[in-house]
Amino acid sequence: MVAAHRGDWRDAPENSLLAFKYAMDIGVDIIELDLNKTKDGIIVIMHDQTIDRTTDGKGSPGDYTLAELKKFHLKNGLGRVTVNAIPTLQEVMKLIKGKILVNLDKSYLYYNEAYQVLKTTGTLNQAIFKTTEAYETVRNQYPAIIDSITFMAVIDLDKPGAKQSIENYQRHIKPVAFELNFGKDTSAILKSNRFINRNGARIWINSLWASLNAGHDDDTAVDLGNTKDSWEWIIQHGATIIQTDRPRELLRYLRKRNLHS
């Protein structure tokens, strides 16, 4: 499965409805997006804690009501202002309903609000909630919904106790996937991770920047033409979901190998 990081941001502003539409058009399985909240409590899509970098406005989403925030315009990858507005989570879910999955990044503070949007739009089964928090923390903070959502635990393999954290999650809620992040590729879990697939869990590895995958990244595959030490390496180490900044190229590579229909 291919997850497009912030949508197809090379052809449209990151985290815009247009970027998500383009990602769907090229055939990705998942779009990743980032949640934030307006002054009047509406969940919107914004990666940064301010809108300074990605729009023609200033300040944080929480400084504005949704109506006020909608007056700003998203910038493209060159920093040029476009006609695209900051989308709400509800708008995104209506766009992708019945089509693909959504990975809710930066969502931990907004699980309850996101859950209500998904229930309202009838898209609860299309969203993957995620966090780096330990199982007990998530259970204590969100006891009312933790058993009703599709959940992925994010595990830093460079930290001690990574395997114990995975096994603890598996004992209690059986996450749909585990996102494995690592700055070094020496973890024993990378060499022997069949235990993660217990109960049907998938392994998610990011091919984004090198610090998430010990240099087995998109740039190595595309700019250096070395797929052996990037995407192939990731697949050989158990990944069945890859999050990428190069969705077109990754899809082309996977289809050539008959790994994506």
Side-chain angles (χ1 to χ4, degrees):
M1 300 179 76
V2 173
H5 183 228
R6 306 183 204 175
D8 180 16
W9 60 261
R10 291 178 184 271
D11 294 309
E14 68 174 71
N15 277 328
S16 66
L17 288 177
L18 190 60
F20 302 143
K21 180 183 182 301
Y22 286 167
M24 285 193 295
D25 288 346
I26 64 176
V28 304
D29 307 284
I30 306 168
I31 55 171
E32 182 268 359
L33 46 75
D34 307 280
L35 303 190
N36 215 304
K37 189 163 71 170
T38 66
K39 184 195 293 187
D40 49 346
I42 306 301
I43 300 299
V44 293
I45 312 305
M46 177 61 55
H47 176 271
D48 300 355
Q49 288 306 302
T50 73
I51 63 173
D52 299 28
R53 177 181 64 87
T54 55
T55 79
D56 54 0
K58 300 289 183 182
S60 73
D63 294 334
Y64 302 97
T65 65
L66 178 62
E68 293 168 339
L69 205 60
K70 283 290 189 180
K71 295 177 181 178
F72 298 121
H73 302 88
L74 291 167
K75 296 177 182 177
N76 64 18
L78 294 175
R80 298 188 182 279
V81 177
T82 72
V83 297
N84 297 272
I86 299 169
T88 65
L89 178 60
Q90 182 167 330
E91 289 171 335
V92 174
M93 300 315 294
K94 287 182 177 179
L95 174 71
I96 63 91
K97 186 172 183 177
K99 298 173 183 174
I100 63 172
L101 301 175
V102 169
N103 178 230
L104 305 176
D105 202 2
K106 296 185 179 293
S107 61
Y108 188 67
L109 296 177
Y110 314 117
Y111 274 17
N112 287 329
E113 296 92 332
Y115 181 82
Q116 290 305 317
V117 170
L118 299 169
K119 290 286 285 185
T120 299
T121 55
T123 55
L124 185 60
N125 64 342
Q126 290 180 245
I128 303 168
F129 291 73
K130 65 187 284 188
T131 185
T132 58
E133 298 290 347
Y135 164 73
E136 289 79 8
T137 303
V138 182
R139 169 65 69 184
N140 290 335
Q141 185 154 357
Y142 294 108
I145 66 170
I146 187 62
D147 294 316
S148 302
I149 61 177
T150 301
F151 182 83
M152 177 171 72
V154 182
I155 307 295
D156 185 342
L157 298 187
D158 294 338
K159 292 183 178 180
K163 185 172 184 180
Q164 290 79 2
S165 181
I166 293 170
E167 291 179 331
N168 194 31
Y169 263 114
Q170 287 179 318
R171 275 194 298 272
H172 293 97
I173 59 172
K174 299 177 177 57
V176 68
F178 288 89
E179 178 181 321
L180 306 182
N181 295 326
F182 45 94
K184 300 174 291 184
D185 59 11
T186 55
S187 170
I189 293 174
L190 289 170
K191 298 178 176 65
S192 178
N193 53 35
R194 293 282 183 180
F195 73 98
I196 293 178
N197 302 130
R198 204 179 300 148
N199 306 312
R202 290 175 174 266
I203 293 174
W204 170 306
I205 295 180
N206 300 298
S207 62
L208 308 174
W209 42 88
S211 61
L212 294 175
N213 49 52
H216 303 284
D217 59 350
D218 287 329
D219 290 349
T220 298
V222 178
D223 297 340
L224 300 181
N226 181 0
T227 55
K228 180 177 183 294
D229 294 316
S230 51
W231 296 332
E232 182 177 334
W233 186 95
I234 288 173
I235 293 167
Q236 288 175 343
H237 286 77
T240 51
I241 306 174
I242 302 175
Q243 181 178 201
T244 180
D245 277 326
R246 305 278 194 150
R248 279 182 173 79
E249 292 88 345
L250 178 55
L251 283 166
R252 190 179 305 122
Y253 167 80
L254 292 174
R255 287 165 180 164
K256 187 175 181 180
R257 295 189 56 189
N258 295 316
L259 295 174
H260 195 280
S261 58

